[in-house]
Amino acid sequence: MAYFDNKSMSMLAGVVAGGIGAYLGYEQAAATGVNPFLGAAIYGGAGFVIGSAGAFLLKSLSQFLVFILLIAAILYVARDPIEQMTGMDPVDAVMNTLQGWGIPVGGVPPSNAG
């Protein structure tokens, strides 16, 4: 439900991108000899779809990143109790996993890089 919370933002981004696309399509079509209104409709439609989808995806991506940061903060703050309960340090476990995936973390390159 959180993804549909602010759908008017996606619609506004689509309208703005559609307007820009329509202007660019009109100018491009007029310069190349195509019907300018056809060019405006094509570029405007594509701009509307891309603008709406882009705003929706960026909003969803930003929510996902916020959740990742919140989980990381909880793991870091509750590091000692988690280590006492599970027997492993959660921060070291995440660092080792990321390094195993080939993502350099903490300035130490993965051992298989080369």
Side-chain angles (χ1 to χ4, degrees):
M1 202 57 153
Y3 296 114
F4 295 113
D5 192 29
N6 202 359
K7 63 185 173 192
S8 60
M9 179 189 70
S10 295
M11 185 66 71
L12 177 64
V15 169
V16 169
I20 293 170
Y23 173 74
L24 294 175
Y26 184 87
E27 293 294 322
Q28 182 68 26
T32 57
V34 178
N35 183 353
F37 294 107
L38 179 62
I42 292 170
Y43 277 42
F48 177 76
V49 171
I50 291 170
S52 296
F56 179 76
L57 291 175
L58 286 176
K59 181 176 177 271
S60 300
L61 178 64
S62 65
Q63 287 177 344
F64 179 71
L65 291 176
V66 166
F67 289 132
I68 295 289
L69 290 174
L70 288 173
I71 291 171
I74 291 170
L75 286 177
Y76 188 77
V77 169
R79 186 177 189 173
D80 290 333
I82 292 172
E83 188 173 1
Q84 289 175 356
M85 289 186 290
T86 62
M88 62 186 235
D89 185 5
V91 176
D92 287 339
V94 170
M95 299 286 260
N96 288 333
T97 302
L98 292 175
Q99 287 177 353
W101 289 344
I103 301 171
V105 181
V108 179
S111 60
N112 60 358

